[in-house]
């Protein structure tokens, strides 16, 4: 059967104005850029607070070091670059200049996973895995308009470093209200399938969950924007109260959300089938988001297939037509 | 009369720096013997540099900060603090012991250390961050950064020089210990860094190159009025200064005395003690 799809509202560029708003309320905050101001939506901040905007150019190692030094004078830098550059180009600086001293700053990693047509150099498919191996680093993965708008307020009480992989441009509305660090967002409750998703995989998961529900499958859907700390109790309860779990992420299946959830299985002694969807030991490659998600089995239809397999259902549930149409936006 | 008084003060400072430099070498030697190995050569080459910065440069009452970029020079920092009376000499007995912050390659929790800079070439960027942060707050305190010639092989050092000139910071001074030594030998053989003066000057910085054991030249580099851009003082130094028996070591990067060698070294050191 073909599901009737619920419409997901898309919102353009909520980050830029949210950063300005946060900056108005937090005079100690500085905006740092690695020559990617337009592409990380920081131009509204630069226009409003030119004296608190520092461009360090294309020099990520120096960018991280300068940010760390600024924290010593009481400033709270927010570093803007792409996730690949923040994690791959400047990892030693993230460790030794920032994390070991618990410097209170934010690293905003744009272009999470497959959300860019700029190819493998710009697709951060391993940034969560890398940052999970940085002791003490808070790791958020924000895609929903409300969580993007509230992310700096959510981090306000964190007196240490945080890495935020963040979507730009047209972003979906998945839930209402501000995000809370360490809290999963419950997008649906049910007792057959536990569906755990993050980043743009969450919109695919919403489409998949709609189709599954219309086919009679009861779906518990958790959208995860806080990877460290992880909402272990809520996730473990969702796993334990359903028959099987599918984790889907816009990232390699190694070291990311799927790995974190599987660690939870072991740590809590949970015995349930679990399937991890995401990039399987592969780079992303050239192409649109929809093309790449489908190619790598991270799209709604692949989620449905994985759920059918995990639950022992006869395959045949189809994703709704509107979902495919909306995906052309990305 | 006034010039005589000022001349007396200059002479007193010179003598104080020379004596402190000798003390730094002596402490580093003692630690090397006691711990059976240390980055002794780095303390020998940079002793006058450390002593001069901490005697006539760094003004703690103003809130000045000293940033050590190559943390392998940690022993020189600890020894400087002992000479200044800010660290008891007994603290050096904790050097290298389990769990002690008096680490061989110190970190941000070690005495006199601001950042964790054992992974080289990260200190200058952080010092620039501090200087930028102070300028933004209208804080007049100065930042003194020490870097090494080996760090010129890391790209981050040149990223930092580029930004130092771009931001037009003058509340920071950089001292480069050019002791012609890195793990595999002289940079001339490993990966050439010359012409150091011209390369850094090409970035638009106020460079001067001096004998890093010449106390007068060090004092002038510290006390001369600031230029239009940040000053970088390239200090040509000798990694065996004060203990010449170490001069022919194939690997002077880290020193463990051989049997009978420490006695010779101590005799050389004592012979060079300023009167």
């Amino acid at each position: 059967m073909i599901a009737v799809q619920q419409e997901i509202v898309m919102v353009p560029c909520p980050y830029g104005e949210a950063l300005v708003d946060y900056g108005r309320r937090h005079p100690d905050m500085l905006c740092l850029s690695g020559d990617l101001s337009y592409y990380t939506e920081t131009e509204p901040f630069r226009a409003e607070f030119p004296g608190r905007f520092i461009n360090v150019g294309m020099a990520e190692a120096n960018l991280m070091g300068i940010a760390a030094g600024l924290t010593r004078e009481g400033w709270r830098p927010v570093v803007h670059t792409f996730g690949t550059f923040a994690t791959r180009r400047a990892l030693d600086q993230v460790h030794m200049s920032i994390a070991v001293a618990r410097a209170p700053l934010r690293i905003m990693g744009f272009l999470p996973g497959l959300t860019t047509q700029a190819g493998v150099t710009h697709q951060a498919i391993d940034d969560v895995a890398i940052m999970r191996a940085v002791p003490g680093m808070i790791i958020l993965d924000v895609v929903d308009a409300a969580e993007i708008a509230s992310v700096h307020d959510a981090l306000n009480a964190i007196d240490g470093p945080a890495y935020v992989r963040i979507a730009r441009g047209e972003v979906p509305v998945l839930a209402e209200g501000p995000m809370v660090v360490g809290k999963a967002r419950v997008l649906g409750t049910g007792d057959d399938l536990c569906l755990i998703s993050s980043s743009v995989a969450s919109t695919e998961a919403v489409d998949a969950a709609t189709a599954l529900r219309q086919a009679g499958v009861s779906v518990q859907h958790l959208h995860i924007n806080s990877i460290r700390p992880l909402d272990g109790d809520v996730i473990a309860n969702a796993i334990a109260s359903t028959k099987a779990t599918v984790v889907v992420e816009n990232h390699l299946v190694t070291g990311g959300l799927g790995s974190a959830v599987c660690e939870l299985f072991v740590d809590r002694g949970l015995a349930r089938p679990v399937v991890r969807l995401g990039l399987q030991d592969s780079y992303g490659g050239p192409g649109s988001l929809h093309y790449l998600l489908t190619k790598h089995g991270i799209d709604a239809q692949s989620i449905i297939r994985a759920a059918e397999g995990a639950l022992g259902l006869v395959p045949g549930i189809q994703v709704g037509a509107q979902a495919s149409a909306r995906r052309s936006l990305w | 009369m006034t010039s005589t008084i000022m001349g007396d003060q200059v002479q007193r400072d010179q003598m104080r720096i020379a004596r402190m430099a000798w003390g730094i070498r002596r402490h580093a030697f003692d630690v090397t013997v006691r711990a059976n190995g240390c980055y002794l050569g780095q303390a020998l080459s940079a002793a006058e540099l450390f002593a001069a910065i901490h005697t006539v440069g760094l003004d703690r009452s103003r809130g000045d900060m000293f940033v050590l970029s190559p943390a392998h020079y940690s022993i020189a920092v600890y020894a400087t603090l002992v000479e200044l009376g800010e660290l008891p000499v007994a603290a050096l007995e904790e050097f290298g012991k389990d769990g002690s912050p008096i680490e061989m390659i110190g970190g941000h929790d070690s005495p006199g250390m601001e950042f964790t800079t054992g992974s080289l070439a990260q200190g200058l960027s952080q010092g620039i961050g501090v200087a930028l942060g102070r300028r933004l707050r209208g804080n007049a305190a100065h930042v003194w950064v020490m870097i090494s010639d080996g760090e010129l092989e890391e790209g981050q050092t040149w990223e930092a020089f580029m930004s130092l000139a771009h931001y037009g910071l003058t509340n920071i001074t950089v001292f480069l210990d050019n002791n012609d030594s890195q793990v595999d030998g002289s940079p001339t053989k490993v990966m050439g860094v010359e012409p150091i003066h011209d390369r850094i000057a090409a970035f638009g910085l106020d460079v001067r190159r001096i004998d890093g054991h010449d106390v007068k030249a060090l004092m002038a580099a510290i006390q001369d009025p600031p230029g239009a851009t940040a000053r970088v003082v390239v200090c040509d130094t000798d990694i065996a200064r004060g203990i010449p028996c170490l001069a022919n070591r194939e690997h002077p990067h880290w020193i463990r005395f051989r049997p009978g060698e420490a006695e010779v070294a101590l005799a050389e050191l004592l012979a060079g003690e300023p009167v």
Side-chain angles (χ1 to χ4, degrees):
Chain A
M1 65 175 283
I2 305 284
V4 175
Q5 204 65 51
Q6 72 182 62
E7 193 55 52
I8 296 179
V9 174
M10 302 295 281
V11 171
C13 307
Y15 183 68
E17 283 308 318
L19 190 67
V20 173
D21 175 58
Y22 184 83
R24 283 194 193 108
R25 292 180 284 115
H26 296 273
D28 287 338
M29 178 230 146
L30 298 177
C31 177
L32 272 62
S33 174
D35 184 42
L36 291 168
S37 309
Y38 173 73
Y39 295 105
T40 58
E41 300 180 355
T42 56
E43 290 195 324
F45 187 94
R46 180 167 61 183
E48 181 94 6
F49 302 107
R52 285 162 56 193
F53 180 92
I54 299 170
N55 206 330
V56 185
M58 279 190 286
E60 289 76 17
N62 197 36
L63 173 65
M64 296 302 175
I66 286 177
L70 285 163
T71 66
R72 292 293 302 270
E73 296 304 307
W75 295 104
R76 292 293 174 265
V78 182
V79 177
H80 296 84
T81 181
F82 292 160
T84 48
F85 305 150
T87 54
R88 294 177 188 165
R89 294 196 77 108
L91 181 59
D92 190 32
Q93 286 75 15
V94 168
H95 272 283
M96 291 298 116
S97 294
I98 294 172
V100 76
R102 297 202 48 71
L105 55 79
R106 316 294 174 229
I107 301 167
M108 311 304 286
F110 283 75
L111 308 189
L114 303 173
T115 60
T116 172
Q117 300 200 33
V120 295
T121 52
H122 289 57
Q123 293 162 349
I125 60 169
D126 53 346
D127 54 336
V128 174
I130 290 168
M131 287 298 187
R132 285 185 71 224
V134 177
M137 182 68 74
I138 300 290
I139 305 166
L140 306 183
D141 189 351
V142 295
V143 68
D144 156 78
E147 64 197 19
I148 287 173
S150 61
V151 66
H152 287 303
D153 283 306
L155 284 167
N156 211 34
I158 304 288
D159 191 26
Y163 175 73
V164 182
R165 76 195 305 247
I166 176 170
R168 72 177 191 199
E170 293 258 335
V171 294
V173 175
L174 298 174
E176 296 298 322
M179 70 167 292
V180 178
V181 174
K183 293 293 175 197
R185 294 202 134 179
V186 181
L187 301 186
T189 56
D191 53 19
D192 288 328
L193 178 73
C194 173
L195 181 54
I196 302 171
S197 64
S198 60
S199 187
V200 292
S202 281
T203 57
E204 299 297 317
V206 166
D207 292 341
T210 302
L212 287 162
R213 288 193 192 102
Q214 290 187 14
V217 179
S218 175
V219 181
Q220 173 98 5
H221 184 189
L222 302 180
H223 167 61
I224 307 298
N225 54 33
S226 179
I227 297 190
R228 185 199 278 151
L230 197 63
D231 197 348
D233 289 344
V234 164
I235 295 172
N237 285 337
I239 292 166
S241 62
T242 52
K243 296 167 189 160
T245 295
V246 171
V247 188
V248 56
E249 62 193 303
N250 175 32
H251 185 274
L252 288 167
V253 295
T254 45
L257 178 63
S259 290
V261 169
C262 285
E263 288 165 18
L264 202 62
F265 270 79
V266 175
D267 293 346
R268 307 263 179 142
L270 299 167
R272 293 286 190 284
V274 58
V275 178
R276 284 175 295 150
L277 300 182
L279 289 150
Q280 309 280 340
D281 195 24
S282 168
Y283 288 98
S288 66
L289 176 61
H290 176 49
Y291 166 81
L292 291 170
L293 288 173
T294 305
K295 179 188 176 188
H296 292 285
I298 312 173
D299 61 311
Q301 194 60 58
S302 296
I303 296 168
I304 292 168
R305 289 287 168 270
E308 289 169 336
L311 292 169
L313 304 174
V314 177
I317 302 171
Q318 295 294 320
V319 73
Q322 285 173 315
S324 299
R326 193 195 65 251
R327 271 191 231 108
S328 67
L329 283 173
W330 265 357
Chain B
M1 180 68 184
T2 305
S3 64
T4 308
I5 293 169
M6 286 178 67
D8 288 349
Q9 181 62 40
V10 168
Q11 281 200 335
R12 277 198 297 273
D13 285 340
Q14 286 176 9
M15 184 50 66
R16 191 167 166 227
I17 291 167
R19 291 203 63 83
M20 186 184 290
W22 188 85
I24 291 169
R25 291 191 174 97
R26 177 64 209 256
H27 294 308
F29 168 83
D30 289 344
V31 164
T32 303
V33 171
R34 197 160 49 225
N36 197 22
C38 182
Y39 292 100
L40 173 59
Q42 287 81 341
L44 300 181
S45 64
E48 280 83 10
L49 189 165
F50 274 79
I53 291 174
H54 286 84
T55 301
V56 295
L58 189 101
D59 182 350
R60 284 210 166 78
S61 67
R62 187 173 61 180
D64 283 11
M65 180 186 284
F66 176 73
V67 176
L68 176 69
S69 187
H72 300 61
Y73 285 72
S74 294
I75 182 58
V77 174
Y78 309 146
T80 300
L81 294 182
V82 170
E83 286 295 302
L84 290 168
E86 296 177 10
L87 190 69
V89 69
L92 295 180
E93 292 174 20
E94 301 303 309
F95 180 92
K97 292 198 172 165
D98 291 349
S100 168
I102 316 289
E103 279 188 276
M104 186 163 67
I105 297 176
H108 65 282
D109 288 334
S110 301
M113 301 277 288
E114 302 291 344
F115 302 110
T116 300
T117 48
S119 178
L120 296 176
Q122 297 193 27
L124 182 53
S125 296
Q126 294 177 85
I128 291 169
V130 172
L132 258 179
R134 290 183 169 184
R135 189 173 71 177
L136 281 168
R137 293 207 186 281
N139 179 339
H142 204 81
V143 182
W144 305 85
V145 182
M146 186 254 154
I147 67 174
S148 65
D149 52 346
E151 289 182 300
L152 296 175
E153 292 172 9
E154 292 279 5
Q156 186 174 356
T157 298
W158 301 99
E159 293 182 0
F161 281 147
M162 183 164 54
S163 62
L164 193 50
H166 179 79
Y167 299 134
L169 291 168
T170 52
N171 58 345
I172 181 169
T173 305
V174 182
F175 283 81
L176 191 160
D177 181 33
N178 184 36
N179 63 11
D180 193 38
S181 174
Q182 60 186 122
V183 173
D184 282 355
S186 164
T188 308
K189 293 176 183 167
V190 179
M191 181 54 64
V193 294
E194 295 285 2
I196 297 175
H197 179 287
D198 293 350
R199 287 182 180 184
I200 299 174
F203 278 68
L205 296 166
D206 172 22
V207 191
R208 65 173 72 183
R209 188 161 183 167
I210 63 171
D211 173 350
H213 303 298
D214 180 341
V215 173
K216 280 186 192 172
L218 282 163
M219 287 175 63
I222 292 167
Q223 294 175 324
D224 284 354
T229 56
R231 181 168 297 156
V232 180
V233 185
V234 181
C235 304
D236 292 326
T237 62
D238 171 10
I239 198 164
R241 184 78 171 192
I243 308 183
C245 69
L246 295 172
N248 295 323
R249 282 253 179 157
E250 190 181 350
H251 295 291
H253 178 68
W254 186 84
I255 297 292
R256 171 177 288 160
F257 286 115
R258 295 159 186 155
E261 197 178 31
E263 290 75 9
V264 176
L266 180 59
E268 290 179 339
L269 196 53
L270 292 172
E273 182 174 5
V275 287

